[in-house]
């Protein structure tokens, strides 16, 4: 991948539609699939009613449902292994994440492990994250996304945390693109504001990390200009949703921007991006799982900018983002604009605020 | 499809890479395909050497090659029917367009006709264009694009001209997305300038037609801002390529912008766009097949803008495009900016210039 040699491939069908969650059963039935593992989190999907609707739709299509509840934010390896065991035991044909990015990321790992041959143990899924095993086959994934943030609904990667090793690592493979993802904008209006902001920040940082690896923005103008427009869309939508969580037009704009932030289109010809901010957050989360992904990124990104700028790196790129996204100048302007945005949305900007205590 | 309910699906793998045309054989062989119909035009692919390289690569993989040469611009139904007959006679397994949009568009129709059951005649492919027949199955398409313009390398539609009926019509179906399209930027630097400009104008008008159906740009901010950035990228790249046809960075930017102009991403949440300018050009071409697609669009688009503006329609949208793309104002500014661009690139702006004679 370089400025003149690049590719784009993404076969996921993304459907953004009000009240459409039950339609996932139609897509599954159309592919003649008879059983699914339903992967969800701490029960919020039951409280808002979407769980019942999806289960009812699956039953009406005679699809057998197995369940894996309890997926947490910063999703955990042991839950994934449990999911793989269930799939292998019952010869389940597809995986259905119902929730946010962590249900998707867990489902991707489960989909791979479910296809392991008999001589491979379920816990060996971790070898994929260690680059010691290649994922060549996976069960198909049909998902319903309830929080736009990670982009996992339309990409081929995922992150899982190994609590025992204190490692939060990622892996990807072409067999992991979800076949269909449905996003119901209305569901997201019920999310707590803090969680919404986590999504805004995650999506924003995905775009910036995609574009930040290039020193001469004008050489990748087509993608660069797109990325700037995505950043602005995310901020515009966030500001509107802070005023009115039921602004469905702003929500739809954010949903699409968040997906595009990590469905690889924001990184076309960008030489792979630079994911240091995400890696920093992953390490924070491995130390303290209560640190939400978006909040950690918000603290890590300005530090990343400063360290680079002090070494004279990426100054032109930082300046351009500062000017075109925040109407400010230079790397200091980028940090200032970014932190103003966090403060306006009520998010922490320092490690002390993040951990809720003094951090050295 | 509306501002809050929309979807995106595009499974084509697009590879932009110097000297990569022969790699198409690798993709075909990987899918275990043993025979292809090679669809090309008037012989320019032989002159520039890419034909020989692709044929050699196919032979090295033991793929049997059948040929359909002679596809013209504004591709013609009779050639398509010939291609369908060849595929049916030899039970060919895939179609390989090697050339510009017209080879792709013809290949798509051939791919559908090749899967007709025995009771359907090859010429009944025209029923697809008349909406009397649905294309449910098609041979897989693996293509090499030599002119970026139509976007056919990464979408599910195509246009064919029925000379007898003087109709140039289109149809699309999900089975028509090419599996893989390879674009070699270097090949395009050898194209005559006039033909390059046809591509720039075609891509530009695709973007504008995608976005022009919306009266309130701010309600589809994410896609709108992207579309504006695509228009600007196309103009920037065109101006650079006019100075230096070997500017590979500008070429790569244009190639990706032209693909995105009609791989549906520029139309997400845009309620389907408004394709009046394309329909006007199709009618011109049906009357005089020598009128190139890009040149016809260049003359038709300002007329479309004027007719709408005189009725008070889309004024806000025209004004925004004028401001953000051309640094001008109002619908007059949009027409002026667009025609300045055509003149700068040496393209006709009036029907008289287009037909090379007085037209009433």
């Amino acid at each position: 991948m370089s400025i003149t040699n690049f590719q784009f491939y993404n076969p996921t069908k993304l459907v953004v539609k009000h009240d459409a969650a039950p339609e996932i059963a139609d897509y599954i039935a159309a592919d003649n699939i008879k059983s699914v593992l339903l992967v969800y989190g701490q029960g919020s999907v039951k409280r808002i009613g979407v769980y019942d609707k999806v289960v009812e739709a699956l039953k009406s299509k005679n699809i057998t449902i197995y369940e894996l509840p309890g997926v947490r934010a910063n999703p955990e390896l042991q839950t994934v292994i449990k999911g793989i065991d269930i799939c292998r035991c019952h010869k389940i044909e597809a995986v259905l994440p119902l929730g946010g990015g962590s249900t998707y990321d867990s489902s991707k790992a489960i989909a791979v492990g479910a296809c392991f041959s008999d001589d491979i143990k379920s816990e060996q899924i971790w070898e994929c994250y260690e680059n010691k095993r290649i994922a060549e086959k996976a069960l198909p994934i049909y998902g319903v996304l309830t929080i736009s943030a990670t982009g996992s609904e339309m990409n081929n990667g995922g992150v899982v945390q190994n609590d025992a090793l204190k490692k939060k690592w990622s892996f990807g493979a072409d067999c992991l693109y979800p076949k269909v993802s449905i996003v119901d904008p209305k569901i997201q209006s019920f999310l707590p504001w803090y969680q919404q902001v986590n999504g805004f920040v995650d999506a924003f940082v995905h775009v910036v990390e995609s574009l930040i690896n290039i020193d001469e923005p004008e050489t990748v103008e087509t993608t660069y200009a797109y990325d700037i427009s995505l950043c602005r869309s995310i901020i515009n939508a966030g500001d509107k949703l802070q005023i009115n969580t039921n602004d469905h037009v702003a929500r739809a704009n954010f949903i699409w921007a968040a997906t595009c932030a990590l469905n690889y289109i924001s990184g076309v010809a960008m030489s792979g991006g630079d994911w240091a901010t995400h890696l920093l957050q992953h390490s924070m989360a491995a130390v303290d799982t209560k640190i939400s992904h978006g909040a950690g990124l918000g603290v890590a990104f300005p530090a990343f900018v400063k360290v680079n700028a002090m070494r004279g790196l990426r100054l032109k790129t930082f300046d351009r983002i500062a000017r075109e996204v925040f109407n400010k100048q230079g790397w200091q302007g980028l940090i200032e604009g970014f932190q103003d945005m966090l403060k306006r949305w009520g998010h922490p900007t320092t490690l002390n605020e993040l951990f809720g205590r003094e951090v050295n």
Side-chain angles (χ1 to χ4, degrees), chain A:
Chain A
M1 297 277 280
S2 74
I3 291 163
T4 54
N5 284 1
F6 53 85
Q7 48 178 277
F8 183 76
Y9 171 65
N10 192 323
T12 300
K13 175 175 279 193
L14 184 86
V15 178
V16 179
K17 192 174 169 191
H18 284 225
D19 302 318
E23 292 177 22
I24 200 67
D26 302 334
Y27 289 102
I28 296 170
D31 288 345
N32 207 23
I33 284 169
K34 304 291 185 200
S35 57
V36 297
L37 180 71
L38 184 60
V39 178
Y40 56 99
Q42 311 290 333
S44 68
V45 292
K46 289 189 174 174
R47 283 195 297 281
I48 59 176
V50 66
Y51 169 91
D52 284 341
K53 286 177 190 161
V54 168
V55 165
E56 189 187 331
L58 290 167
K59 285 184 177 165
S60 79
K61 299 280 179 187
N62 295 316
I63 296 161
T64 307
I65 305 166
Y66 298 89
E67 299 207 10
L68 182 70
V71 172
R72 65 162 204 230
N74 297 315
E76 205 253 332
L77 182 63
Q78 290 309 318
T79 312
V80 163
I81 293 170
K82 206 164 124 189
I84 296 174
D85 285 338
I86 300 173
C87 285
R88 297 175 92 172
C89 174
H90 300 285
K91 300 198 184 338
I92 294 173
E93 294 171 32
V95 188
L96 197 171
L98 171 61
S102 58
T103 65
Y104 266 91
D105 287 3
S106 302
S107 294
K108 288 175 180 176
I110 293 167
V112 170
C115 295
F116 280 170
S117 55
D118 287 345
D119 57 320
I120 305 171
K121 289 180 195 155
S122 297
E123 52 264 41
Q124 288 181 266
I125 186 67
W126 184 250
E127 295 170 1
C128 292
Y129 296 89
E130 287 178 319
N131 283 324
K132 290 181 186 158
R133 180 175 295 281
I134 291 169
E136 278 168 354
K137 248 175 74 181
L139 297 182
I141 295 164
Y142 303 79
V144 174
L145 183 77
T146 58
I147 312 171
S148 291
T150 68
S152 195
E153 68 278 10
M154 198 179 177
N155 68 36
N156 71 353
V159 174
V160 159
Q161 184 156 324
N162 185 327
D163 283 356
L165 301 180
K166 284 201 188 300
K167 286 177 178 169
K168 185 180 174 186
W169 283 3
S170 66
F171 88 105
D174 270 5
C175 57
L176 288 179
Y177 285 101
K179 274 209 80 165
V180 180
S181 281
I182 294 179
V183 192
D184 179 349
K186 225 197 281 177
I187 290 175
Q188 303 197 21
S189 58
F190 298 113
L191 289 170
W193 175 244
Y194 188 83
Q195 222 170 323
Q196 293 190 37
V197 177
N198 277 339
F200 306 157
V201 176
D202 194 15
F204 186 95
V205 174
H206 286 155
V207 181
V208 178
E209 295 205 81
S210 292
L211 66 76
I212 220 157
N213 211 20
I214 298 292
D215 285 328
E216 304 290 334
E218 61 279 11
T219 59
V220 280
E221 197 52 46
T222 299
T223 300
Y224 212 98
Y226 180 39
D227 288 353
I228 295 288
S229 77
L230 282 180
C231 288
R232 294 166 66 162
S233 289
I234 292 165
I235 299 173
N236 280 341
D239 286 340
K240 285 179 181 168
L241 291 166
Q242 189 168 27
I243 296 167
N244 174 15
T245 193
N246 293 312
D247 183 336
H248 296 313
V249 170
R251 183 76 60 191
N253 273 288
F254 169 65
I255 286 170
W256 179 232
T259 296
C260 291
L262 203 54
N263 68 358
Y264 308 129
I265 199 154
S266 61
V268 165
M270 287 292 189
S271 302
D274 181 317
W275 299 91
T277 299
H278 265 75
L279 295 177
L280 285 168
Q281 192 285 329
H282 291 174
S283 298
M284 291 180 197
V287 172
D288 183 346
T289 58
K290 286 187 295 298
I291 290 179
S292 74
H293 185 55
L297 293 171
V299 173
F301 179 63
F304 168 83
V305 172
K306 192 173 175 184
V307 166
N308 274 271
M310 302 303 273
R311 297 180 183 175
L313 299 171
R314 298 171 166 139
L315 294 174
K316 208 163 154 184
T317 302
F318 293 151
D319 181 60
R320 181 159 170 193
I321 304 173
R323 285 176 192 272
E324 297 188 8
V325 176
F326 294 114
N327 207 17
K328 295 184 180 283
Q329 285 176 41
W331 65 271
Q332 300 95 333
L334 173 55
I335 292 178
E336 201 182 292
F338 182 79
Q339 291 184 329
D340 285 352
M341 175 184 85
L342 294 181
K343 286 176 196 158
R344 192 166 71 241
W345 291 342
H347 243 42
T349 58
T350 66
L351 278 176
N352 286 348
E353 288 177 82
L354 186 66
F355 283 85
R357 56 182 164 89
E358 284 285 326
V359 177
N360 301 312

